[in-house]
């Protein structure tokens, strides 16, 4: 997929070192659910090889440089959990919003997603802004596991249903 500034593509094994470098930053890992800390290239290789069926994972590139990950996992009901992270040197430029918007459009029109859900850990205002800009509706407080911190933490949960215009386009294709 291509956006105005980004290219979203399959994640490949040769991305492992770059993933470990960017996602292994404490400021990134400590605000995600699934990224361990420290994060080694071997762990990134293991993650890449373990992406399961039903997971749509895209590497995010800016000017041919790998800067993060965005994707979703869809269940049998058509609900999908959205996830993303951007390397710290690239924060504050709208890349997560731009990538997630493209991934969600793909999910709604091509992958059969009826509703996206997501959450961010409390104390993560950057992710809160991304979710707000994407148009998600707040549905309540929750908790979320943080692999880097090895504990459950307070989180905020959101949802976004497929717009009816996209539902019509999905049926027509």
């Amino acid at each position: 997929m291509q956006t105005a500034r980004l290219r979203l593509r399959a994640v490949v094994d040769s991305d492992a070192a770059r993933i470990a470098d960017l996602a292994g930053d404490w400021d990134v890992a400590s605000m995600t659910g699934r990224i361990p800390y420290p994060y080694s290239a071997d762990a990134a290789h293991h993650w890449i090889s373990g992406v399961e069926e039903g997971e749509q994972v895209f590497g995010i590139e800016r000017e041919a440089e790998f800067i993060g990950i965005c994707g979703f996992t869809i269940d049998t009901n058509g609900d999908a959990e959205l996830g993303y992270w951007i390397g710290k040197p690239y924060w504050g430029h709208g890349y997560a919003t731009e990538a997630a918007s493209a991934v969600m459009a793909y999910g709604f029109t091509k992958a059969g997603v009826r509703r996206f859900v997501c959450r961010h850990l409390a104390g993560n205002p950057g992710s809160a802004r991304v979710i707000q800009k994407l148009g998600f509706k707040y549905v309540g407080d929750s908790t979320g596991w943080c692999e880097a911190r090895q504990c459950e933490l307070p989180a905020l949960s959101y949802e976004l249903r497929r717009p009816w215009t996209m539902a019509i386009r999905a049926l027509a294709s």
Side-chain angles (χ1 to χ4, degrees), residues 21-79:
D21 182 47
L22 292 174
D25 182 307
W26 174 254
D27 290 338
V28 175
S30 68
M31 289 295 163
T32 68
R34 296 171 52 183
I35 298 172
Y37 184 84
Y39 195 30
S40 68
D42 284 343
H45 282 290
H46 182 73
W47 172 75
I48 292 167
S49 67
V51 171
E52 296 179 11
E53 194 167 326
E55 284 186 279
Q56 299 285 323
V57 178
F58 301 92
I60 305 167
E61 288 184 341
R62 166 84 173 127
E63 296 176 352
E65 186 172 27
F66 190 98
I67 66 168
I69 298 279
C70 186
F72 61 88
T73 303
I74 190 168
D75 67 20
T76 56
N77 296 326
D79 289 347

